[in-house]
Amino acid sequence: MSGLNKMLTIGYLGTDPEMRYLPNGVPVTSFRLAASRSYTTSDGERRDETEWFTVKAWRNLAELCNQYLTKGRRVYVEGRLNSRSWQGQDGQNRFTNEITAEQVVFLDGGGGQGDGGRGPGQGGQGGQGIGGDQGETPPVPEEEDAEDLPW
């Protein structure tokens, strides 16, 4: 049985999206996402904690995120966690975790011009979900014996 690598987060864009194209013409959009939580310590002190994520969207999803998202927008991002490391120009080893977005849902009405502040086809209720590689079917896993399933 294969594993599961799934990230779900809701937060606010900390930067405007930046889109670039790979040499083969594939678009990729990156943006920073801040997800906050509040809690109360055992001493009764209220604290806020914010985690920052770098989100990367590819292909059609990259183009839609670049078109409709702006700094401050609230979004739901679903995707997988990727880790990478490299050596910086100063010789120091660097490490980062990034979310590769598979779905982005616009949760507020701010942003786009000429669309009433709504994303593509976004209605008045909830947010608009946009998936990544629409039209592409993910690979089908090999058949598993029903007795091997954990439930």
Side-chain angles (χ1 to χ4, degrees), residues 20 22 47 59 62 64 75 89 94 117 137 146:
R20 62 185 175 89
L22 300 181
R47 294 212 178 142
R59 297 178 183 80
L64 291 170
V75 295
Q89 292 179 349
R94 308 274 190 230
T137 306

Side-chain angles (χ1 to χ4, degrees), residues 9-75:
T9 187
I10 295 175
Y12 292 90
L13 268 71
T15 60
D16 284 331
E18 294 179 16
M19 188 166 75
R20 62 185 175 89
Y21 290 89
L22 300 181
N24 63 0
V26 173
V28 59
T29 295
S30 301
F31 56 89
R32 300 278 291 156
L33 186 71
S36 300
R37 74 178 190 108
S38 298
Y39 63 96
T40 304
T41 66
S42 58
D43 298 333
E45 181 184 352
R46 186 161 175 81
R47 294 212 178 142
D48 294 319
E49 193 174 88
T50 301
E51 291 290 335
W52 284 91
F53 300 96
T54 298
V55 179
K56 291 204 173 178
W58 295 79
R59 297 178 183 80
N60 185 44
L61 183 57
E63 293 173 341
L64 291 170
C65 286
N66 187 61
Q67 182 178 356
Y68 291 103
L69 294 180
T70 56
K71 180 178 178 178
R73 292 278 319 251
R74 187 167 186 239
V75 295

